[in-house]
Amino acid sequence: MGQRYERIEGRIRSFIEQQPVFFTATAPLGGEGHINLSPKGRSGTLVVIDELTLAYLDFGGSGAETIAHLREEGNGRITLMWCAFTGPPKVLRVHGSGEAIFRDDPRWADFIPHFKEVDGPSARAIIVIHAQRISDACGFAVPFMEYQEERTQHAEHFGRKSDEEFAAYCEKKDHVGVSLDGLPALPLPLPARTD
């Protein structure tokens, strides 16, 4: 039987921090737009800031649908989900509002120290989520899966790029400046970092 929680604390916070993967879901306001669902990984890229706030690093390497949906006027809806692939069954969701903090935003310097172990040139935004609903479900249908190790290709590939090379990479990618539905996504040219 699922429960609702007032805050991200105690065993809920521990559960979030122990999971090697989470998923984000967003959608544009228009009924004809594309829903986006993305897996996220890389140890150290998601942090619980306080009892109602989480943040994760948004990296280059794919489109920018999440950013576009969060930037859309009157939108900002986002859901994060974690599944227990080991141990007791659980699915946890945090529904909330989100915002993208870009590299030239003065708040970047406040948030980026949370990610000092994984920060690099491919960090193009910090997604901050303000929790509005925290709930779990049984997770009885989620299979047991064994975690082996982190994949290193993303960090290694982008770790070899300078800031200028990464900016050029972003410029040439489809659906980075605009979403699949034509919404403004990542500002291009890529803003320079303020830190």
Side-chain angles (χ1 to χ4, degrees):
M1 187 66 118
Q3 294 184 34
R4 286 187 62 176
Y5 304 91
E6 294 297 316
R7 294 172 196 76
I8 302 167
E9 60 186 1
R11 64 186 177 85
I12 296 301
R13 181 175 182 150
S14 294
F15 177 78
I16 289 171
E17 293 174 341
Q18 291 168 5
Q19 303 313 306
V21 64
F22 67 100
F23 302 87
T24 66
T26 58
L29 291 174
E32 301 299 316
H34 292 80
I35 297 168
N36 187 63
L37 176 63
S38 296
K40 304 292 181 184
R42 289 189 62 184
S43 179
T45 60
L46 171 80
V47 295
V48 178
I49 303 291
D50 62 39
E51 296 172 338
L52 292 173
T53 312
L54 304 104
Y56 72 85
L57 276 182
D58 178 85
F59 290 108
S62 60
E65 297 300 301
T66 300
I67 289 174
H69 298 157
L70 297 180
R71 290 185 69 192
E72 184 182 22
E73 183 74 31
N75 194 343
R77 301 168 302 156
I78 187 168
T79 300
L80 275 60
M81 185 184 80
W82 297 262
C83 298
F85 296 111
T86 61
K90 180 188 285 291
V91 173
L92 179 73
R93 290 180 182 86
V94 172
H95 296 82
S97 62
E99 61 180 316
I101 296 175
F102 299 114
R103 295 153 44 120
D104 60 346
D105 187 312
R107 296 173 296 166
W108 179 275
D110 296 330
F111 282 96
I112 201 64
H114 291 284
F115 307 101
K116 60 181 175 264
E117 293 180 19
V118 292
D119 181 25
S122 65
R124 58 189 191 178
I126 300 168
I127 306 300
V128 178
I129 300 96
H130 307 283
Q132 297 166 341
R133 185 177 196 277
I134 306 157
S135 62
D136 64 12
C138 68
F140 291 165
V142 176
F144 283 109
M145 297 172 67
E146 185 178 333
Y147 174 75
Q148 294 181 358
E149 62 186 22
E150 292 270 313
R151 292 183 193 263
T152 60
Q153 291 95 327
H154 186 274
E156 290 167 355
H157 175 76
F158 287 105
R160 293 189 293 266
K161 293 187 181 302
S162 68
D163 207 46
E164 294 77 22
E165 290 169 329
F166 179 63
Y169 168 87
C170 290
E171 291 264 3
K172 68 180 183 179
K173 290 283 286 181
D174 290 340
H175 306 299
V176 168
V178 296
S179 74
L180 294 170
D181 302 310
L183 296 171
L186 188 70
L188 295 175
L190 186 68
R193 291 178 64 143
T194 59
D195 57 331

